[in-house]
Amino acid sequence: MGEFWDVIVVGGGPAGAAAALAARRAGAGRVLLLDRYDFPRDKACGDGIAAHALDVLAELGVRGAVDGYAPLPALRLVGPGGGTVARALPRPAYTVPRRVFDARLVAAATAAGAELRRHTVRTVEVCDDRVVLDGELAARAVVGADGAGSVLRRTLGHPVNPDRHLALAIRGYAPALPGPPEQLIVTSSPRWPAYAWSFPIGDGRANVGYGEVLRGEPLTRAHLLDRLAALHPGTDPAAVTDLRAHHLPLSTHRPAPGRGRVVLAGDALSLINPFTGEGIFYALRSGALAGAAAAGAPDRAASRYAHALRRRLGTHLRHSSVAAWLARRRWVVDAAVRAARRDERVYRTVVELGLGDGRLDARTLGMIGIGLASGDTPPRH
Ligand SMILES: Cc1cc2nc3c(=O)[nH]c(=O)nc-3n(C[C@H](O)[C@H](O)[C@H](O)COP(=O)(O)OP(=O)(O)OC[C@H]3O[C@@H](n4cnc5c(N)ncnc54)[C@H](O)[C@@H]3O)c2cc1C
């Protein structure tokens, strides 16, 4: 007979750390946080931390996650047709390498009483009164926060996202571009939907990368790097270090959030924004809800979690799926860029939809419509 825990969280990324913290805050006595790596560990990511992510951390009592990193006050977005909008962000973002950010969150979880252990989960057995991992670790409820290749998700019978709902991106570190600090996103007309980014860290370096949605053909590393170089001519490809690629399961295709005593959070639940590739806010939000449900009602964790998730993110996820469907036509995105340049409120709506839990509104749709009528005509090819 192995060990028995109240809650086991598989995966120590943002979703897992938030789940462990929330489980402890909801009264779970014994919380075990498992990861296949020791921390600090790297994770392929743009390292962009939106203000909304910090809101969730504050709710969980975590402060200081971005300490020592300069706020990024502005965002510059280049549309697929070349038009640009550059404005102050409603609230600043940060670029914090995941090696640092995730280690800070895991430290907060262990400070709150969770136990961290290096362990790679391979098998999951769901019994009436418990869930058993690898035949040795049992818990009343388990949170699967094990990322894009989730073992827990497979156990529940859900394959990875199909093409068009799955992206692949590569990131590296390069000397920051000259000019004032801002998040730079350059979307790409070829291979649409696709974009490159450059997020300055504040120490002279920037996180740079390129990603595109998969369409049934494999993407090579050389292709991703060619596209990165094409969209960021100011970045010397030879100066980019620590290159690393990873899949992004997009929120336009999500499995059920759990079953019985097993719940999924973050990338394991395909919670990545289809426009921006942002997943840290969703990971923290869903992880916090999953941990609380697992601690509060282990035998009904999945139904309680599904309800809480729907209440917090349901409308937003529906709106972002509709917006992603509209944005498949790149001239719609060009019209949105023009509208956001003309109108601060449209810009804010677009930012909230892409980085937080915002919704589409009539004003934004109307302004995009006007933009289309006044010159952003669909290309003929
Ligand atoms: C190139 C790229 C750029 C991105 N840029 C941004 C960005 O700028 N901003 C943003 O918000 N989001 C970005 N994202 C998305 C973001 O990285 C993810 O949404 C986020 O990491 C999800 O957090 P998570 O905790 O769900 O999963 P992860 O961060 O992937 O954590 C999962 C953890 O589970 C562990 N694990 C996996 N399998 C097992 C197992 N079997 N047993 C034990 N442990 C296991 C892993 O080691 C890992 O630590 C980007 C993604 C990519 C690929």
Side-chain angles (χ1 to χ4, degrees), residues 356-376:
D357 50 11
R359 297 160 189 203
L360 272 174
D361 55 34
R363 182 188 181 86
T364 301
L365 288 170
M367 292 286 290
I368 291 172
I370 291 168
L372 281 172
S374 70
D376 280 333

Side-chain angles (χ1 to χ4, degrees), residues 10-16 34-37 39 41 43-48 98 102 119-121 145-147 151 169-171 197 199 246-248 265-268 272 277-281 283:
V10 184
L34 302 174
D35 201 285
R36 62 180 166 190
Y37 298 118
F39 286 80
R41 60 102 181 86
K43 152 80 176 79
C45 186
D47 302 334
R98 294 287 298 275
D102 289 17
H119 178 105
T120 302
V121 172
D146 47 343
V151 170
I170 193 162
R171 77 90 228 258
W197 69 87
F199 296 164
H246 201 71
H247 283 108
L248 296 89
D267 282 11
I272 293 192
E278 121 84 55
I280 295 173
F281 160 64

Side-chain angles (χ1 to χ4, degrees), residues 99-112:
R99 165 174 283 280
V100 174
F101 185 73
D102 289 17
R104 287 178 172 179
L105 302 197
V106 161
T110 55

Side-chain angles (χ1 to χ4, degrees), residues 246-272:
H246 201 71
H247 283 108
L248 296 89
L250 305 177
S251 67
T252 45
H253 182 97
R254 282 170 284 118
R259 192 187 310 141
R261 297 173 181 273
V262 179
V263 291
L264 302 173
D267 282 11
L269 186 56
S270 297
L271 282 176
I272 293 192

